[in-house]
Amino acid sequence: MISWGTILYGAALSAAFALAAAFFLGRERSRLALVLVVLSALAGPIAWNAVLRSAGNDDFFHDAPVGAFPVSWQDVGSGVWTLAAASFVQGLAQRQARRAWTIAVLTATAAFLVDIYLY
């Protein structure tokens, strides 16, 4: 079972990479949007992993047998929950739907890739 320390470490990495992705790839400069990127990239993985931890089932943590892309259902869940959180908060804060969606997708993609490759 994944520990709380690992969950928090992974969420912090997700937030850092999501911030970098939004800033450099998304060219986002709004402080509010960037704060929301960090918060949603923290909240998504923490919430999803808390659900898995409370369920006490390790079945979600088995990686696919693909060397270059060893994704698990736990990784997918982190990305999906982050996409939901980021879409919600960016949708409230952004004036244009396309811009909000772009930043939300960058945020979720960063969290998903961090989850697969870094913890």
Side-chain angles (χ1 to χ4, degrees):
M1 183 56 54
I2 191 169
S3 71
W4 278 111
T6 302
I7 291 170
L8 296 175
Y9 169 74
L13 281 177
S14 294
F17 277 80
L19 178 62
F23 189 82
F24 293 111
L25 299 175
R27 297 181 184 162
E28 182 60 63
R29 298 300 182 260
S30 164
R31 286 186 182 172
L32 174 61
L34 293 172
V35 166
L36 294 174
V37 163
V38 169
L39 292 177
S40 57
L42 285 170
I46 289 172
W48 171 242
N49 284 303
V51 167
L52 292 180
R53 190 168 164 71
S54 70
N57 191 338
D58 286 335
D59 290 341
F60 283 85
F61 294 92
H62 299 288
D63 291 342
V66 180
F69 195 63
V71 66
S72 69
W73 285 114
Q74 182 268 339
D75 303 329
V76 172
S78 291
V80 169
W81 281 56
T82 302
L83 180 61
S87 296
F88 179 73
V89 297
Q90 291 296 333
L92 291 177
Q94 298 279 346
R95 291 183 213 154
Q96 296 177 346
R98 180 173 290 166
R99 186 75 184 139
W101 179 246
T102 300
I103 298 304
V105 168
L106 285 171
T107 303
T109 301
F112 177 60
L113 294 174
V114 164
D115 206 325
I116 292 171
Y117 295 111
L118 298 181
Y119 78 102

